[in-house]
Amino acid sequence: MITRSVGPNRRRNDMIWNMIAWVVLIMLALPAFWIIITAFRPNIEINTFPPVWIPRRLTLEAYANMFGLNPDVQQRVAVEAYLRNSLLASGISTIIAVSLGTLAGYAFARFRFRFHTTLFLGIMLSRAVPGVALSLPLFLLFNRVGLTNNVLGLALVYVAVNIPFTAWLMDGFFRQIPTELTESAYIDGCGHWSAFWRIELPLSLPGLATAAIFAFLAAWNEFQIVSVLARNNAAKTFPPGLFAFTEQFTVDWRGMAAMSVIMMVPAVIFVILVQRNLVSGLTFGAVKG
């Protein structure tokens, strides 16, 4: 009798949790859905009350205005420059931050040295400083060395911002790898670098993908620092570029939604490409043998 009652109860509980999960997912996806349909709806429906949930017709007028294809609109937004700068700053900073953060995480996880804990905590505390507090000192420093309005300067800042989190994340992943594997590699004649490259790094690829996603999205969506260090289109990225649709008394909500859609596409593609590694990375070490 107990065996018969457990099955239906478990299925009912699973169904309830699945329904709750779907409701939460729909609520989280609703803002993104609203942005997408706003980008394609007629301008007359933007500020109507009550709001029009289903557009009466779809139009590409917002994108035509953005790319200068509408002869009635004289001023266009530098979307190509924003896209190029965002890809360069985010891509370069992600590669460097993940590389250095992985090496730092491996060193903290596998070696004990003087001031080990103090240095690790110091690196972690540096990540706690908000971007608004870093903006003015960074502007003064970069203005002195000539790195304002420079994409490489932005990438350098994002590297410094992302290394603490990457090092912390990779330190946790390397600690989950049994030390017996590394010791076996030492017995077989491998050095520290060879063991890291052949044994530790392949086993930590899920964590590497997870760190890369977080580092890329943090740089891609960062607003406060880039809004201070980049004052023209030579280095502006998408987040401050959205203010090009803001005027003194009006806001082009449809134009901002259209650019937001363009801004979401590369990030979504990047996450989809490494989604499998992201899921396995986030659950790595959650189940112990």
Side-chain angles (χ1 to χ4, degrees):
M1 294 180 62
I2 296 176
T3 304
R4 293 179 182 178
S5 61
V6 169
N9 289 336
R10 183 171 183 178
R11 287 194 297 269
R12 183 171 62 252
N13 292 336
D14 291 343
M15 185 178 300
I16 293 174
W17 283 112
N18 287 333
M19 292 177 61
I20 294 175
W22 276 108
V23 171
V24 173
L25 287 175
I26 292 174
M27 292 177 62
L28 293 176
L30 187 59
F33 172 75
W34 187 259
I35 290 175
I36 293 173
I37 63 173
T38 300
F40 294 96
R41 68 167 69 245
N43 196 36
I44 195 174
E45 296 181 358
I46 299 298
N47 294 319
T48 58
F49 185 83
V52 179
W53 289 93
I54 305 298
R56 296 182 177 88
R57 65 182 180 89
L58 300 179
T59 176
L60 296 175
E61 185 179 359
Y63 293 95
N65 297 339
M66 187 187 309
F67 289 100
L69 302 178
N70 189 345
D72 297 331
V73 178
Q74 301 297 328
Q75 186 178 4
R76 66 184 298 270
V77 181
V79 184
E80 297 88 347
Y82 300 153
L83 177 61
R84 180 187 67 250
N85 297 335
S86 295
L87 290 175
L88 286 175
S90 302
I92 294 173
S93 64
T94 298
I95 294 173
I96 299 177
V98 171
S99 300
L100 297 180
T102 300
L103 295 176
Y106 178 74
F108 283 117
R110 287 291 185 254
F111 303 104
R112 302 296 297 182
F113 46 88
R114 192 177 183 183
F115 303 119
H116 175 280
T117 304
T118 303
L119 182 59
F120 185 78
L121 291 177
I123 294 177
M124 295 303 104
L125 288 176
S126 67
R127 186 63 180 88
V129 180
V132 65
L134 293 173
S135 300
L136 182 57
L138 283 174
F139 175 77
L140 297 176
L141 175 63
F142 277 39
N143 188 50
R144 184 179 296 270
V145 298
L147 285 178
T148 54
N149 296 320
N150 191 306
V151 177
L152 296 180
L154 287 178
L156 181 63
V157 174
Y158 295 155
V159 168
V161 170
N162 286 324
I163 280 180
F165 176 80
T166 304
W168 171 78
L169 188 65
M170 295 308 298
D171 172 77
F173 276 96
F174 283 122
R175 291 181 186 275
Q176 295 292 334
I177 300 175
T179 56
E180 290 79 6
L181 296 176
T182 309
E183 294 172 353
S184 299
Y186 294 157
I187 295 175
D188 292 337
C190 291
H192 290 303
W193 174 254
S194 181
F196 166 76
W197 187 258
R198 296 184 179 183
I199 306 298
E200 308 264 13
L201 188 61
L203 293 176
S204 66
L205 286 180
L208 202 66
T210 306
I213 288 177
F214 280 104
F216 181 85
L217 294 180
W220 185 266
N221 296 318
E222 200 282 323
F223 170 77
Q224 183 62 48
I225 295 177
V226 67
S227 63
V228 175
L229 297 182
R231 299 301 183 92
N232 55 43
N233 294 336
K236 270 188 179 181
T237 57
F238 272 122
L242 289 173
F243 274 107
F245 296 95
T246 304
E247 299 179 2
Q248 184 176 3
F249 299 106
T250 60
V251 178
D252 185 3
W253 297 111
R254 187 177 63 164
M256 295 182 69
M259 181 176 284
S260 299
V261 173
I262 298 177
M263 181 180 174
M264 287 189 292
V265 171
V268 171
I269 293 176
F270 184 80
V271 172
I272 290 176
L273 291 177
V274 291
Q275 180 183 15
R276 183 173 301 177
N277 285 330
L278 173 64
V279 174
S280 60
L282 291 176
T283 57
F284 187 75
V287 180
K288 297 181 180 291

